[in-house]
Amino acid sequence: MKIGIVCYPTFGGSGVVATELGLELSKRGHEIHFITYNQPVRLELVSNNVHYHEVNVPEYPLFHYQPYELALSSKLVDMVKLHGIEILHVHYAIPHAYAAYMAKKMLIEENIYVPIVTTLHGTDITLVGSHPFYRPAVTFSINKSDAVTAVSQSLKDDTLRLFDIKNEINVVTNFIDLDKHNVLFSDCQRSLMAKDDEKIITHISNLRQVKRVDDVIEVFYNIQKEMPAKLMLVGEGPERERIEARCVELGIYNKVAFLGKSNEIDKVLWFSDLFLLPSKTESFGLAALEAMASGVPVISSNTGGIPEVNIQGVSGFLSDVGDVADMTKNALYILSDEERLKTFKENARKTALKFDVHMIVPQYEKIYEDTLAKCLVL
Ligand code: GMT
């Protein structure tokens, strides 16, 4: 199949999932066309089967906001015609589903029918999309898609609760390539991060309010009072300065490494003993799954789709949002006994197996096939 993928090219989970999906589909023989405003961060290899088309938005002084949706829908029309793209898979409803619908309508004028599959990722529904300023357009775009998927049952439920949805929503969970998380790194690489006797605690996010990075810091503060430990904070975002100041205030700044946007997440996770994800809301928690795939147990909040990924008492523990005391208790329980830590590490990896890329990507292929077949009949 010739598949066009529209996504955000940034470090965010939706862009990562879209990129990994495209790469896996290309390995399975499909021709993939990424259409976005920058080359996606995890798209390192452009092969015969993988193409990248940049959306340019020319600046004009009249525009207070540059019309990205317009440029994207025009680019989609051009790329569908030029490359014979058969189906468009858009990740994150805003504004991708809306732009794809406009492209589809323009193409119909030229007797070309290209169906749209929309994947909902989380904040496009829970935080941003349900805002009254966006809700009518998001509802419309979801209802006009030829197929809709959500990355967890929780996100599907949220979508049905927050919008007036007439379309069926299929749950296709996020996935992980376990082989990529099974790379051996040498112990000397660990020594760059921490001393032998120090436990490594990790948090990866875009450091936004929704991630509750303060709770990460508080839990780590409590851990390091009980045992030698280092905290790896991976990612960049608006909370960073405030969090750095908080670390200084607590006297733990020298125990916290701010690693910024990193392409070496697998290396950091390989040496980690515990992953913290205390988010206020999380449709899935891809970062937690990546940690588990590297054999890292997860201490998380019990919110949104996280309980579908992190299994209580098996791959880690879940606490109420903001319950730092409970998260600390659970973290110390795992970390304080080497045998127990080993068991949780093994269980984390085993739990990640059910999200194996080879099981999930065929579900998308089936959706593409069914959607194309349905559209042929119409
Ligand atoms: O977490 C973010 O703020 C980024 C956001 C995104 O769109 O990249 O992540 C969402 O999509 C990910 C991939 O499906 C999910 O794993 C995250 O849980 C989800 N984030 C939220 O729901 C807050």
Side-chain angles (χ1 to χ4, degrees):
M1 263 178 275
K2 293 187 180 187
I3 304 160
I5 293 185
V6 180
C7 65
Y8 283 103
T10 52
F11 276 89
S14 62
V16 168
V17 169
T19 309
E20 299 286 355
L21 172 64
L23 293 175
E24 182 59 27
L25 287 165
S26 75
K27 285 190 213 156
R28 296 168 72 91
H30 302 289
E31 185 178 306
I32 304 302
H33 295 264
F34 287 98
I35 303 156
T36 180
Y37 61 83
N38 261 329
Q39 180 152 335
V41 285
R42 291 217 187 161
L43 185 63
E44 281 158 10
L45 185 113
V46 176
S47 74
N48 278 350
N49 265 357
V50 181
H51 308 267
Y52 161 61
H53 312 290
E54 187 164 308
V55 181
N56 290 302
V57 191
E59 297 217 349
Y60 187 67
L62 178 70
F63 300 140
H64 181 61
Y65 303 104
Q66 305 304 318
Y68 179 66
E69 291 89 319
L70 214 61
L72 174 60
S73 52
S74 295
K75 188 79 181 180
L76 290 174
V77 168
D78 289 346
M79 292 305 103
V80 166
K81 282 160 62 180
L82 188 63
H83 298 281
I85 292 171
E86 294 157 89
I87 192 158
L88 288 172
H89 188 174
V90 302
H91 291 258
Y92 209 91
I94 308 167
H96 300 151
Y98 195 74
Y101 176 75
M102 285 314 297
K104 178 171 134 176
K105 282 292 187 196
M106 284 186 264
L107 287 160
I108 285 174
E109 296 290 309
E110 300 187 46
N111 292 322
I112 300 170
Y113 193 90
V114 63
I116 300 162
V117 177
T118 297
T119 290
L120 310 173
H121 277 274
T123 45
D124 48 350
I125 296 301
T126 52
L127 282 187
V128 190
S130 54
H131 191 285
F133 291 174
Y134 294 121
R135 198 189 291 124
V138 174
T139 310
F140 175 83
S141 313
I142 295 174
N143 283 332
K144 290 291 177 186
S145 298
D146 296 281
V148 183
T149 76
V151 299
S152 65
Q153 182 60 44
S154 152
L155 182 60
K156 174 178 175 173
D157 296 343
D158 281 341
T159 311
L160 295 176
R161 182 171 50 79
L162 294 166
F163 299 88
D164 183 15
I165 299 301
K166 311 271 184 255
N167 233 338
E168 189 192 343
I169 300 179
N170 303 276
V171 174
V172 181
T173 66
N174 287 334
F175 54 85
I176 194 87
D177 186 343
L178 285 138
D179 294 338
K180 281 194 190 161
H181 289 263
N182 209 6
V183 187
L184 285 175
F185 294 104
S186 70
D187 278 357
C188 76
Q189 288 169 301
R190 185 193 194 275
S191 65
L192 297 173
M193 284 188 246
K195 296 191 195 118
D196 285 354
D197 67 334
E198 286 174 327
K199 291 280 181 280
I200 298 182
I201 319 297
T202 299
H203 169 76
I204 302 173
S205 78
N206 51 19
L207 307 188
R208 293 188 179 275
Q209 266 188 3
V210 67
K211 303 293 172 180
R212 294 186 65 95
V213 192
D214 288 276
D215 291 358
V216 172
I217 301 302
E218 299 305 318
V219 173
F220 175 71
Y221 176 71
N222 295 337
I223 293 173
Q224 58 83 45
K225 280 198 288 187
E226 303 298 325
M227 60 182 67
K230 279 268 166 68
L231 174 64
M232 303 292 138
L233 271 184
V234 183
E236 277 299 341
E239 292 282 275
R240 174 163 175 172
E241 268 183 41
R242 211 177 51 71
I243 292 301
E244 282 193 88
R246 180 70 182 140
C247 291
V248 172
E249 199 175 277
L250 289 170
I252 55 169
Y253 191 69
N254 61 344
K255 295 186 181 182
V256 182
F258 287 85
L259 300 177
K261 291 178 181 170
S262 173
N263 266 327
E264 295 194 306
I265 285 175
D266 46 350
K267 195 190 287 179
V268 178
L269 289 174
W270 178 258
F271 293 116
S272 297
D273 296 295
L274 202 66
F275 188 81
L276 302 179
L277 192 67
S279 307
K280 179 170 178 241
T281 163
E282 201 73 64
S283 70
F284 183 87
L286 184 67
L289 178 60
E290 292 191 319
M292 286 159 54
S294 296
V296 186
V298 174
I299 295 294
S300 69
S301 45
N302 188 9
T303 183
I306 302 181
E308 296 172 48
V309 182
N310 183 23
I311 307 303
Q312 176 78 347
V314 180
S315 55
F317 287 101
L318 302 103
S319 310
D320 289 345
V321 174
D323 193 344
V324 167
D326 194 53
M327 291 181 199
T328 303
K329 186 187 87 199
N330 293 332
L332 291 173
Y333 175 76
I334 294 179
L335 293 172
S336 59
D337 181 298
E338 284 306 321
E339 266 313 298
R340 194 183 291 142
L341 175 59
K342 195 165 159 260
T343 306
F344 270 94
K345 284 187 171 192
E346 283 164 9
N347 287 346
R349 195 165 158 84
K350 276 187 208 150
T351 309
L353 287 175
K354 74 170 192 249
F355 299 99
D356 186 356
V357 65
H358 304 297
M359 277 159 47
I360 309 294
V361 171
Q363 296 177 27
Y364 278 121
E365 281 176 309
K366 170 100 175 52
I367 287 173
Y368 300 154
E369 281 158 13
D370 290 352
T371 307
L372 281 167
K374 193 175 77 185
C375 293
L376 274 180
V377 175
L378 293 178

